[in-house]
Amino acid sequence: MELTDSRDIAADRQTVWNALLDPDVLKDCVPGCQEMSGSVEDGFEAVVVQKVGPVKATFKGQVTLSDMTQPEALTLMGEGKGGAAGFAKGGARVRLDEIEGGTRLTYEVEAKVGGKLAQLGSRIIDGFAKKMTDQFFTRFQEVVEGPAEAETALEGAGDAPDDKKGWLKRRFSKS
């Protein structure tokens, strides 16, 4: 399964780049991620629980980053084993381009599965992979940009201006 798309994120390219390298951000964005540890240099170890059709599995695996050109592009590669359910592996080539008002994040995703998961059929697997990819990049955009204006207005009435930034922006602006 291959998927290509892009998202315009209302944040500068360096902020988006930093978020892509942050294990806490990745953990928050990967659907079903229970644990994420490691570093950019050594790779990340993750535990992800997912249900694909009738098959529910806990995947334990590795995520590595390569082909890094700061702050323009990188490749994320992941592989996980889900015991009797089989395995999943794939990668995403991510490119960041400066645009007016932020950063355009373009991605090309490729995913493969084996074992019981592969027996579900390509229609179910392709639909699941697209859903996971959309959820990851939607959540990534939300984390980087912070809460929507309407949510901020409701939650932040009377708060200091700094509280209107998303948690990621607050984190990197204090560093």
Side-chain angles (χ1 to χ4, degrees), residues 8-16 18-19 22 25 101-103 140-149 152 161-175:
D8 292 347
I9 300 174
D12 66 272
R13 187 161 66 166
Q14 189 62 50
T15 298
V16 176
N18 291 343
D22 187 320
V25 172
T103 303
F140 182 80
Q141 183 173 3
E142 290 168 354
V143 167
V144 173
E145 290 181 346
E149 290 299 319
T152 303
D162 193 43
D163 289 345
K164 291 186 178 184
K165 293 181 182 177
W167 72 266
L168 182 70
K169 288 183 182 176
R170 285 194 306 267
R171 179 175 176 193
F172 287 119
S173 66
K174 291 178 182 175
S175 312

Side-chain angles (χ1 to χ4, degrees), residues 111-129:
K112 296 177 185 167
V113 296
K116 280 186 181 179
L117 290 174
Q119 296 171 1
L120 294 174
S122 64
R123 198 173 89 197
I124 291 173
I125 296 299
D126 288 355
F128 176 76

Side-chain angles (χ1 to χ4, degrees), residues 7-147:
R7 296 195 177 256
D8 292 347
I9 300 174
D12 66 272
R13 187 161 66 166
Q14 189 62 50
T15 298
V16 176
W17 177 263
N18 291 343
L20 284 169
L21 304 182
D22 187 320
D24 293 331
V25 172
L26 295 176
K27 179 181 183 235
D28 284 349
C29 297
V30 173
C33 188
Q34 306 293 308
E35 298 175 29
M36 176 83 67
S37 61
S39 68
V40 172
E41 297 79 20
D42 300 327
F44 302 108
E45 292 192 19
V47 176
V48 177
V49 177
Q50 277 298 325
K51 185 171 192 253
V52 185
V55 179
K56 182 175 181 181
T58 299
F59 292 91
K60 295 180 181 179
Q62 288 274 136
V63 177
T64 57
L65 293 100
S66 62
D67 303 327
M68 294 173 48
T69 306
Q70 183 176 343
E72 298 170 9
L74 61 82
T75 300
L76 293 152
M77 296 297 294
E79 184 170 350
K81 294 184 171 125
F87 70 89
K89 66 176 166 177
R93 180 74 184 147
V94 179
R95 190 178 77 240
L96 304 177
D97 296 304
E98 290 182 18
I99 59 170
E100 187 174 329
T103 303
R104 176 163 294 139
L105 181 149
T106 304
Y107 56 90
E108 299 170 22
V109 174
E110 185 175 344
K112 296 177 185 167
V113 296
K116 280 186 181 179
L117 290 174
Q119 296 171 1
L120 294 174
S122 64
R123 198 173 89 197
I124 291 173
I125 296 299
D126 288 355
F128 176 76
K130 181 178 179 355
K131 178 181 165 191
M132 288 278 292
T133 300
D134 287 345
Q135 285 179 348
F136 174 85
F137 285 106
T138 296
R139 180 70 184 131
F140 182 80
Q141 183 173 3
E142 290 168 354
V143 167
V144 173
E145 290 181 346

Side-chain angles (χ1 to χ4, degrees), residues 4-5 79:
T4 302
D5 203 352
E79 184 170 350

